[in-house]
Amino acid sequence: TPSPTPILTVRGTPPPVSAQAAYLLDADTGHVLADVQGERRLPMASTTKVMTALITIQTADLNQIVTIKQDAITQVQQYNGSSANLVVGDQIRLEDLLYGLMLPSGDDAAIAIADAVGGTTSNFVRTMNLFAGRLHLTQTHYINPDGLTYLTPQGRPDPNQYSSASDLAHLTRFAMANPFFAQLVELQHYVLPASAVHHAYTWDSINTLLSTYPGAIGVKTGYTVEAGYCLVFAATNGQHHLIGVLLHEPDAAQRFADARALLNWGFALPLLPPAS
């Protein structure tokens, strides 16, 4: 019989991180390399958009023309969200809107996409939750397509928007198998020139890991007061692909520093035959 292929094998403990939850996955084998409160339900801010993008890519006609409506702009204004600076009345191809969703993390783009793909935002969110169920993401539930914090009538953060570091890692592993999704989350800069039906847009990724860590290939940042600073990240060193998640980091820079430390540790693990 052929000898089994050696795999990255955990030896010692992963580096300490400042996140409330951390997870590192060997994307090639599905083996978990690091798990710190990985199953804990936490708000996940704009990492929600991983699911929004994936559903759109898998189910919609990316050549569909989307007319930007006021509700997309209101979402940003009402909840102090991040913006792709969309303009009401602009007619933009759905594929282009995905860059506005993922690079500058446009909450306006999320609403415009949800309206176009789902008919209504609430219909789209229903699809998100159905998809989470199909993928067995048992620690995940969505109330919107962008991860912003909604308040209950009592003025408290709605607790029904949550995921876990484990669920986000496994969702991302599934999503990264889609070539367009993988290309989308690796891109750092996108220019949409003006046309007869829309303004010009320039979108830059706010995921600085892409420009500072050799081999980084994605994926998505997030921030709200309730969620803290979040990061879903992926990298390759040529031989191996790793996917990681950090939820509720204390500041923006720390999430990138912790991601680098986890990736360096993961890539340095020894290659050993799997335990029989």
Side-chain angles (χ1 to χ4, degrees), residues 17-39:
V17 297
S18 300
Q20 288 190 12
Y23 205 80
L24 187 67
L25 190 66
D26 181 343
D28 300 314
T29 64
H31 288 120
V32 180
L33 304 178
D35 182 351
V36 179
Q37 303 233 52
E39 285 68 45

Side-chain angles (χ1 to χ4, degrees), residues 18-21 40 42-44 222 224-231 246-251 255:
S18 300
Q20 288 190 12
R40 181 180 173 188
L42 289 166
M44 66 296 204
T224 62
V225 172
E226 290 71 27
Y229 291 89
C230 304
L231 183 65
L246 294 159
L247 295 179
H248 213 293
E249 287 272 14
D251 63 62
R255 62 184 168 184

Side-chain angles (χ1 to χ4, degrees), residues 3-15:
S3 56
T5 303
I7 59 171
L8 292 173
T9 304
V10 175
R11 288 290 181 269
T13 56

